[in-house]
Amino acid sequence: MTDPVSPNSANSDSPSPENIDTPTEAARRSSLSRGLSSTAVLGSGDLAETPIHYGASLREQRVLEEKDGLVDLAHLRVLRLSGPDRLTWLNSITTQKIDNLAPGVSTETLVLDPNGRIEGWLRLVDDGEALWAISDLQTDATLDFLRKMVFMMRVEIEDLSDDYQCFGAITSLPEALPVTRTWSDPWPHIGSGSASYAQIDIGQEVAGTDHPGLETPFVIGIVKRSDLQGLTAKNFDMAGFDAWEALRIAAWRPGRNEIDHKALVGELDLLRTAVHLAKGCYRGQEAVARVHNLGQPPRRLTFVHLDGSGHIAPDPGTEALAEVRGSERPVGTLTSVTVHWELGPIGLAVVKRNLAPEAQLSFEIGDGERVIGAQETIVVPMREHERALPERNKDVDARSQKR
């Protein structure tokens, strides 16, 4: 029996293709992809050089999770920010507090529009001389914004995607891989100055012990392409991007598929790792603070257990339907979907906040057929507000500290 294959192999576009990077004229072909066996299936669009699977998607998930598997993430872009002002400058225009980021410590930050909607997403690690950033969400637009904001700051921004590529693993990367820099995913730990919107650990300062993200610590290695000469996929236990996505979904980890033109940080529980709530001003900060202190996000991320009896899964981007006030209505979108080696058919969906957590979801798969899904709450439908506003950081916000 052939393993089920996720929709990545057939269609790499997310529900919001305007947010996804597209290939540049300079091909960013994976150095390992050239030596892959004929069983490797590549994606399409910006995943055209990324191995989606090697013919056994479920086995590859287990290899990745339990046996030091390696995933070729050729579609990720690699940026490097250098100069003595790089940390304080990026701290002032994005969501995370990174002005005192220690070398080797990994974090992530978001670029927001003035209304607090997500426009860019950078995974960061500093080496003491330069800040390395990994991106796969509107990278060209993010680069354009960053370069416009340099002004007189001592910062240089380079796109090194033609010279470096990324590989993913769980817990640690293989010793045989010549890694230049390693980014360790902070998910699902709640950072200092951050907050969780997840029901499983709402009100706690640390992630709840039952949070599924604790089981799969993702790491991404940045590797210089020239250092890969002489290596092939045969040197590693390779797993496809489908396997990486399956473990991400099972970990409740939002990814680029969950970002559309309306996405807010609170809807996706991204405050826990990508936002500092007391670091001073940045574009979109007022919208984040207003929702956090006074309101509720209009939508929420939910985990979906899909009925697998029909052996057909809905595609990412499929409209989610549910009974509301006696009639079936659209309530959101299935953003990511996969077949997990232990959990079976699962997905992530962004739905209306006031949708009852026990409401059954359904997704059309064509010819009038539907797949039923049961929700498991990630982002809580209604959260209590903080009793006191966080204090401003005097080092980065020169305004009066008086309320």
Side-chain angles (χ1 to χ4, degrees), residues 108-275:
E108 60 181 344
T109 194
L110 302 170
V111 175
L112 306 181
D113 73 7
N115 295 315
R117 307 193 187 280
I118 300 171
E119 291 190 337
W121 192 345
L122 301 174
R123 303 171 177 93
L124 305 173
V125 60
D126 196 82
D127 62 9
E129 297 181 355
L131 182 65
W132 295 77
I134 300 169
S135 171
D136 66 344
L137 178 69
Q138 297 195 97
T139 306
D140 290 333
T142 299
L143 277 169
D144 184 60
F145 169 73
L146 294 179
R147 286 168 175 155
K148 288 179 178 178
M149 297 301 293
V150 171
F151 299 115
M152 299 298 292
M153 303 299 284
R154 296 168 297 173
V155 179
E156 295 183 6
I157 305 170
E158 301 172 274
D159 183 357
L160 301 181
S161 304
D162 292 333
D163 300 317
Y164 291 82
Q165 75 170 80
C166 294
F167 295 89
I170 303 299
T171 305
S172 62
L173 293 153
E175 293 184 2
L177 190 68
V179 177
T180 300
R181 294 289 174 266
T182 300
W183 179 82
S184 299
D185 194 351
W187 185 267
H189 300 287
I190 304 171
S192 174
S194 302
S196 168
Y197 278 24
Q199 180 170 285
I200 200 169
D201 50 27
I202 196 72
Q204 300 187 61
E205 295 183 357
V206 297
T209 56
D210 293 331
H211 196 295
L214 295 171
E215 300 176 4
T216 48
F218 298 98
V219 295
I220 297 177
I222 301 173
V223 182
K224 195 171 185 178
R225 296 183 188 275
S226 60
D227 292 340
L228 290 167
Q229 295 180 4
L231 294 176
T232 70
K234 296 179 180 179
N235 296 108
F236 306 94
D237 292 321
M238 300 299 297
F241 184 60
D242 274 354
W244 180 263
E245 283 289 273
L247 299 190
R248 177 187 69 81
I249 294 168
W252 299 357
R253 204 341 171 177
R256 66 178 187 173
N257 276 21
E258 281 62 62
I259 309 296
D260 61 13
H261 67 285
K262 300 186 294 184
L264 301 172
V265 293
E267 297 175 334
L268 306 178
D269 196 27
L270 278 174
L271 279 88
R272 66 192 307 140
T273 54
V275 179

Side-chain angles (χ1 to χ4, degrees), residues 13-95:
D13 291 334
S14 79
S16 51
E18 71 275 9
N19 284 340
I20 303 304
D21 289 338
T22 54
T24 61
E25 294 183 3
R28 297 190 172 96
R29 184 171 182 83
S30 162
S31 299
L32 289 186
S33 293
R34 300 187 183 98
L36 296 178
S37 68
S38 59
T39 61
V41 175
L42 302 182
S44 60
D46 75 319
L47 298 178
E49 305 300 340
T50 300
I52 298 300
H53 65 86
Y54 297 83
S57 179
L58 299 186
R59 182 190 64 81
E60 292 164 32
Q61 293 176 34
R62 187 169 183 176
V63 167
L64 179 59
E65 189 168 18
E66 297 184 346
K67 299 182 179 180
D68 300 325
L70 183 68
V71 180
D72 187 340
L73 301 174
H75 60 284
L76 297 184
R77 302 273 292 275
V78 179
L79 315 177
R80 185 170 63 190
L81 286 62
S82 58
D85 296 332
R86 65 188 182 280
L87 295 179
T88 54
W89 166 76
L90 192 62
N91 182 84
S92 68
I93 58 175
T94 62
T95 59

